[in-house]
Amino acid sequence: MIGGSMAQRRHILFWATAVGLSALALSACTGSPPSGTAPIMGTLAPVAGDVAVEGWEVTAWDVSGETSREIATATADDDGGFILDVPEDSVRPLILDARPADSEAALLAGIVAADAETATLNERTTVATGYGLAQFFDDTLPIGEATWLANAAAMASNLADFSTGEFGEVLRSSPNGSETSTLPTFTSLTAMLSVCLEEESACVSLFETAAGGSPVRSAAAAFAAIARDPSAEPDALFDLALQAAGTEPGLSDAPAAWTLALRFDGDGQSLDGPGNFAIDPRGHIWINNNYEYGDDPTVPVCGSDEMFEFAPDGELVASYSGGGLSGSGFGIDFDAEGRLWLSNYGFAAPEPGCPADQQPPHNSMTLFADGEFLSPDTGFTQGDLSWPQGIEVARNGDVWIANCGNDTVAVYPGGDPEQARNLGSLGLEQPFTAIDNGQLIFVSAMVNSAVAVVDYDGTPIAGSPLTGVFDRPMGLGVDADGNVWVANSGGISLPCPDRVEEGRGVPSVTMISPDGSSTMGPFTGGGVVLPWGLAVDGVGNVWVANFDGQRVSAFCGADPSVCPRGLDTGEGISPDDTGYSFDGLTRSTGIAVDPSGNVWVMNNWEQDPQPTNPGGHQIVAFVGAAPPVVVAPFADGG
């Protein structure tokens, strides 16, 4: 038991030194704190029984900047209590960590948010800190911009209550709690740390197993490393969790990956068939919606006239109706001024579902800004729109619209519907979405398995549309170098009014070079089964939402140097057999990476959909799973 004997404490100190830990490496520059302090009353309260924490050193860290800064220290009393006098003007959130008196390795951690005056540090808060702030951790502490750290901390508080040390309310409540595997997964992760607190050799195992090729120097950093590459050593970590002698139930079998995913359902009575995401510079998440809400799937529903705004922690901020919204499908995107564009596909259950006289229109675009709709009640209908799906606001302000109902592509130059042009088919059958890579516009098409590549004026490049390496392509993504990634569904036939009845092809992803002259792939690993949406994370790796299999898939991007385990371009980061599976997923469409490193996925359709109301009712966050994608401020500074 760490803290129980001098010999064992020396062992931890020796081990920490062996992996290169020193007080110099752990600490950052400290200076005299500014005048005026505020106390943080705290307790070290390990879930594991009989862990002596008297004399442990507790440190408060300011981590909002280029380096971490120690701002207060305290020593725990015989009951684990401590008081930290932190500068009143310190930037929140703060990170607290605690280490045994004779060790440099911090074994417990927690977060102090803006309004917090109390703190409890235990296994739950440590795992939550590591996962929630995973993408900001170095080998010891997180470091980053205050806004994104605060958003990440808010997500972490869904896993653990940093004031009491209990499970977070979101984790323990519907639509999570007993309804998914996340609570037992989280409990097994905390069990790994309980074993570490009780047996010094388990700490060595935890740190070494989590670290892979790059040593970590704190328990929270170890869990951050697991969150960033959750399928690296799943069995070894599970074996460690089984050594805990606690009473809380965890997983009964080793997972394929140690992901932590949380579901959010807003007010519990509005989301029905959410389609895709747009994320603003604050990290707020905007969502379009397909169907009127109905909790009885046997009762027919018509098209939704709502969209939703969620906070970075998954809490519903507001819903909005108007502007021609009618069963929005996949198209949602901000322009540089912060105006939000949505395409109105007109989703509704066909008869005998939604009656014919209540079917929504399928021919408009909606525009929203500053809490108001700028489009009329009919939406903007210019451009010969027909069942529009994916859209893209190009870097020059043009709005590109894929019309899967009439095989055409429309453009609103500069975002002006009065100047609308319809470019015709561009050689596409049932175009699905578009993307701008900074040089060209790429448009996917399902029926003829093609991707058109055109100049900003709509002129196709030589050889467009590209064919031969795609299989009913849908979602598109672009990396920082302009490579365009394509989700090849291999078999989805749903998004357009004239359904494709062919059998299943081969699900995969393909990479197109920035100038459209060459392709790589298709790549079939990562557990990909029926890809729909695609997102590229902050270092260029690729994430895919699957419309089957209750999983997301992750692939090594164009730069293998940022991929784990020596993987090469196109190889699956997620397990080939299962992907990053989650029993709380249904059928997923949209996927996005936020500025705090969470991967968001839609529960768009139920796993066993009823034709009268097939819609799913949640959005899902894989906590701390991907390098962040920071959104540039809008032109007005918002």
Side-chain angles (χ1 to χ4, degrees):
M1 178 180 69
I2 296 175
S5 76
M6 182 64 71
Q8 290 165 339
R9 289 196 294 272
R10 288 196 189 105
H11 180 95
I12 290 294
L13 181 59
F14 173 80
W15 165 73
T17 303
V19 296
L21 180 63
S22 67
L24 180 61
L26 180 66
S27 302
C29 296
T30 61
S32 298
S35 60
T37 60
I40 297 173
M41 311 289 291
T43 306
L44 306 182
V47 176
D50 195 29
V51 176
V53 293
E54 180 182 3
W56 281 40
E57 180 181 318
V58 184
T59 306
W61 300 90
D62 181 337
V63 295
S64 299
E66 295 182 359
T67 61
S68 55
R69 185 170 66 93
E70 179 185 306
I71 58 173
T73 61
T75 301
D77 62 23
D78 55 357
D79 293 321
F82 61 87
I83 301 174
L84 288 164
D85 291 319
V86 301
E88 289 181 340
D89 61 353
S90 56
V91 179
R92 305 287 184 102
L94 304 177
I95 300 298
L96 306 187
D97 65 20
R99 57 185 56 78
D102 295 336
S103 174
E104 298 291 349
L107 301 183
L108 295 176
I111 298 171
V112 180
D115 57 352
E117 298 177 350
T118 61
T120 298
L121 272 60
N122 63 14
E123 294 93 322
R124 299 183 190 113
T125 64
T126 306
V127 173
T129 301
Y131 267 74
L133 279 65
Q135 298 299 328
F136 300 95
F137 261 88
D138 58 19
D139 59 4
T140 307
L141 289 162
I143 304 170
E145 198 275 329
T147 298
W148 311 133
L149 286 173
N151 289 352
M155 180 61 76
S157 69
N158 291 326
L159 297 171
D161 185 320
F162 291 104
S163 178
T164 67
E166 297 298 324
F167 294 112
E169 181 178 357
V170 169
L171 175 61
R172 67 175 187 265
S173 305
S174 180
N176 300 293
S178 62
E179 299 173 30
T180 79
S181 59
T182 300
L183 181 56
T185 302
F186 183 81
T187 303
S188 287
L189 288 162
T190 64
M192 299 173 199
L193 185 52
S194 290
V195 177
C196 167
L197 297 178
E198 294 176 321
E199 174 58 52
E200 68 277 5
S201 62
C203 281
V204 178
S205 296
L206 173 62
F207 280 49
E208 290 182 349
T209 304
S214 302
V216 294
R217 309 179 191 280
S218 72
F223 288 107
I226 297 170
R228 293 192 299 266
D229 190 14
S231 59
E233 295 284 352
D235 294 332
L237 292 169
F238 182 70
D239 290 343
L240 186 61
L242 290 181
Q243 298 177 31
T247 59
E248 294 178 342
L251 294 173
S252 58
D253 298 293
W258 289 96
T259 53
L260 290 178
L262 294 171
R263 303 197 297 185
F264 302 91
D265 61 1
D267 60 8
Q269 55 186 16
S270 295
L271 280 179
D272 198 330
N276 204 359
F277 301 95
I279 300 177
D280 71 22
R282 303 166 299 163
H284 282 227
I285 300 152
W286 297 76
I287 297 166
N288 52 9
N289 199 49
N290 288 326
Y291 308 108
E292 297 173 314
Y293 179 80
D295 55 8
D296 183 349
T298 66
V299 176
V301 294
C302 295
S304 171
D305 64 354
E306 289 186 285
M307 68 175 184
F308 305 95
E309 176 188 4
F310 282 76
D313 64 352
E315 182 178 0
L316 178 64
V317 174
S319 62
Y320 306 89
S321 298
L325 286 173
S326 61
S328 299
F330 197 69
I332 182 170
D333 198 13
F334 281 104
D335 64 21
E337 284 72 41
R339 303 185 304 172
L340 184 62
W341 290 88
L342 302 96
S343 62
N344 294 304
Y345 173 89
F347 259 119
E351 289 193 290
C354 180
D357 61 356
Q358 297 180 35
Q359 288 283 321
H362 318 284
N363 66 341
S364 72
M365 293 285 291
T366 293
L367 182 60
F368 177 87
D370 298 324
E372 297 181 357
F373 288 94
L374 306 182
S375 49
D377 290 343
T378 59
F380 295 124
T381 59
Q382 296 92 327
D384 193 21
L385 306 184
S386 177
W387 301 79
Q389 276 282 18
I391 64 174
E392 170 80 341
V393 180
R395 301 181 195 192
N396 64 358
D398 294 349
V399 180
W400 290 72
I401 307 161
N403 294 306
C404 72
N406 61 9
D407 299 336
T408 70
V409 177
V411 181
Y412 288 177
D416 182 1
E418 296 299 327
Q419 304 299 317
R421 295 186 297 140
N422 190 294
L423 304 178
S425 74
L426 300 178
L428 304 177
E429 297 179 48
Q430 291 191 353
F432 182 72
T433 196
I435 202 163
D436 174 18
N437 76 341
Q439 303 177 40
L440 299 161
I441 302 293
F442 297 71
V443 187
S444 62
M446 294 180 57
V447 169
N448 60 334
S449 295
V451 175
V453 186
V454 300
D455 290 323
Y456 289 115
D457 65 2
T459 303
I461 68 168
S464 178
L466 309 178
T467 59
V469 290
F470 310 110
D471 194 331
R472 281 180 258 183
M474 298 184 69
L476 302 173
V478 61
D479 64 26
D481 293 325
N483 298 296
V484 172
W485 290 83
V486 184
N488 297 303
S489 72
I492 291 176
S493 62
L494 299 172
C496 295
D498 297 323
R499 293 182 59 175
V500 180
E501 298 298 340
E502 299 174 8
R504 290 281 185 96
V506 179
S508 65
V509 297
T510 300
M511 187 180 80
I512 308 173
S513 64
D515 62 359
S517 65
S518 62
T519 60
M520 288 184 65
F523 304 107
T524 59
V528 68
V529 288
L530 201 59
W532 187 302
L534 184 148
V536 177
D537 67 27
V539 298
N541 292 329
V542 177
W543 294 77
V544 173
N546 289 284
F547 200 64
D548 199 3
Q550 295 180 281
R551 64 187 66 179
V552 299
S553 300
F555 294 84
C556 178
D559 180 7
S561 70
V562 300
C563 300
R565 290 170 271 129
L567 295 172
D568 202 356
T569 297
E571 292 186 317
I573 297 174
S574 53
D576 286 344
D577 292 337
T578 64
Y580 289 145
S581 62
F582 175 46
D583 57 0
L585 285 175
T586 57
R587 295 181 180 272
S588 299
T589 52
I591 188 168
V593 180
D594 73 18
S596 293
N598 304 300
V599 177
W600 291 89
V601 192
M602 291 295 184
N603 272 350
N604 174 257
W605 268 26
E606 294 291 359
Q607 189 66 13
D608 297 309
Q610 294 291 323
T612 46
N613 180 9
H617 301 290
Q618 304 96 22
I619 57 175
V620 180
F622 283 75
V623 179
V629 175
V630 177
V631 181
F634 294 141
D636 63 0

